[in-house]
Amino acid sequence: MQHTVVMTGASRGIGRVAAEHILRRSPDVHLLVVTRGSAGARLLTELATGGHTVSHVSADLGSLRSVHSAATGIRDRLADGELPPLRGFVGNAGVQYTNALTEGPDGFESTFAVNVLANHLFVRLLQDRFAAPARIVITASDTHFGDFRHTMGMVPGPVWKSPDVLARTGAFPRPDSTAAGRTAYSTSKLATIYLVHEYARRLPAGIDALAYNPGFVPGTGLARDAGPASRFAMRRVLPMMTLTPFATSRRAAGRHLAEVVLGTTTAPTGAYVDRGRVARSSAESYDPRRERELWEAAERFTAAYAL
């Protein structure tokens, strides 16, 4: 039976690989990609080959107003029968800045806005349109562990604070530094896991929520805002690490993501999927008080756009 999967972050990196894999493995999928600007038409042309059904909607994930417009447009298309039943949402898009001072149009720090609030608003606006069984998959990161084994010293660990602080610029020491920007990133990925745990508690039966960790994947566009030396290392040097157990290739990470979305990887709601298997996330990531606090804050931050 044909069904819809909505996906952000499908235009490059592991998301592009996952999108191609989803379409190959499940010909009944209508893949609706959320992209920025003119990238959607180009991506649609590239993906919609061999009879695959693909459509796109434009959104700036750093703007909650734009996310609201995209999500309500999808809701309308589902209600009108223009799209088949919704069975999946993939929040794969993510950003990492070289500072913690970048502010979006809604006044939120941009890492938090894209990596946390945009996903939350999509989930909340689409929640009553899912047809069970359905899966919500949000891309996390093993940077949330914060230890050398998981980050190799390249990204500082998360520094949890009140969501009201994390959502604004300047939340971390030396906010104009790359270290602060990377701390904002790892902290946002910890927040992602907290929200997945809350979705598992709050969403109706049959709608599962999962956090997916691709591992360290060199060669993606995540470091596109970094300096020239870092970008060169990510493109030319670090990809060689995929020959070791310390890194994952884009192709493998994308395939694993697709398998989680399609349900090939068996996982209970609320689970953390580390590449191809269910695993424990960090000890810090299991904190019901923080999870509830973040949920309540995300509800407040997005309330004006959730109608």
Side-chain angles (χ1 to χ4, degrees), residues 72-137:
T72 52
I74 295 169
R75 284 175 57 88
D76 292 343
R77 292 169 66 183
L78 287 163
D80 293 342
E82 182 184 340
L83 292 171
L86 179 63
R87 289 256 165 80
F89 172 76
V90 189
N92 179 62
V95 296
Q96 181 184 121
Y97 291 94
T98 55
N99 60 67
L101 293 172
T102 305
E103 185 177 270
D106 307 295
F108 298 111
E109 192 275 322
S110 291
T111 312
F112 193 87
V114 174
N115 297 358
V116 181
L117 296 182
N119 287 325
H120 184 70
L121 187 54
F122 262 120
V123 169
R124 296 294 279 142
L125 287 172
L126 295 178
Q127 175 180 327
D128 64 350
R129 293 293 187 265
F130 283 103
R135 270 192 169 187
I136 295 166
V137 181

Side-chain angles (χ1 to χ4, degrees), residues 99-101 159 161 170-181 183-184:
N99 60 67
L101 293 172
V159 178
K161 301 184 179 185
F172 307 104
R174 298 189 298 118
D176 59 341
S177 67
T178 298
T183 302

Side-chain angles (χ1 to χ4, degrees), residues 24-198:
R24 284 198 305 269
R25 288 286 303 276
S26 184
D28 290 336
V29 165
H30 180 129
L31 185 64
L32 195 162
V33 293
V34 181
T35 62
R36 187 171 181 174
S38 61
R42 182 173 64 254
L43 182 60
L44 187 152
T45 300
E46 294 170 354
L47 292 176
T49 58
H52 298 311
T53 307
V54 185
S55 60
H56 74 95
V57 63
S58 180
D60 174 3
L61 298 181
S63 163
L64 295 180
R65 186 178 302 278
S66 182
V67 171
H68 172 270
S69 177
T72 52
I74 295 169
R75 284 175 57 88
D76 292 343
R77 292 169 66 183
L78 287 163
D80 293 342
E82 182 184 340
L83 292 171
L86 179 63
R87 289 256 165 80
F89 172 76
V90 189
N92 179 62
V95 296
Q96 181 184 121
Y97 291 94
T98 55
N99 60 67
L101 293 172
T102 305
E103 185 177 270
D106 307 295
F108 298 111
E109 192 275 322
S110 291
T111 312
F112 193 87
V114 174
N115 297 358
V116 181
L117 296 182
N119 287 325
H120 184 70
L121 187 54
F122 262 120
V123 169
R124 296 294 279 142
L125 287 172
L126 295 178
Q127 175 180 327
D128 64 350
R129 293 293 187 265
F130 283 103
R135 270 192 169 187
I136 295 166
V137 181
I138 311 295
T139 299
S141 167
D142 51 13
T143 60
H144 86 276
F145 281 91
D147 57 17
F148 187 84
R149 183 167 74 87
H150 289 90
T151 70
M152 292 173 285
M154 292 186 290
V155 179
V159 178
W160 191 257
K161 301 184 179 185
S162 162
D164 289 278
V165 174
L166 296 174
R168 307 298 175 179
T169 58
F172 307 104
R174 298 189 298 118
D176 59 341
S177 67
T178 298
R182 291 176 177 171
T183 302
Y185 175 80
S186 62
T187 305
S188 75
K189 292 303 184 178
L190 176 60
T192 288
I193 299 172
Y194 286 151
L195 282 180
V196 164
H197 292 166
E198 277 297 298

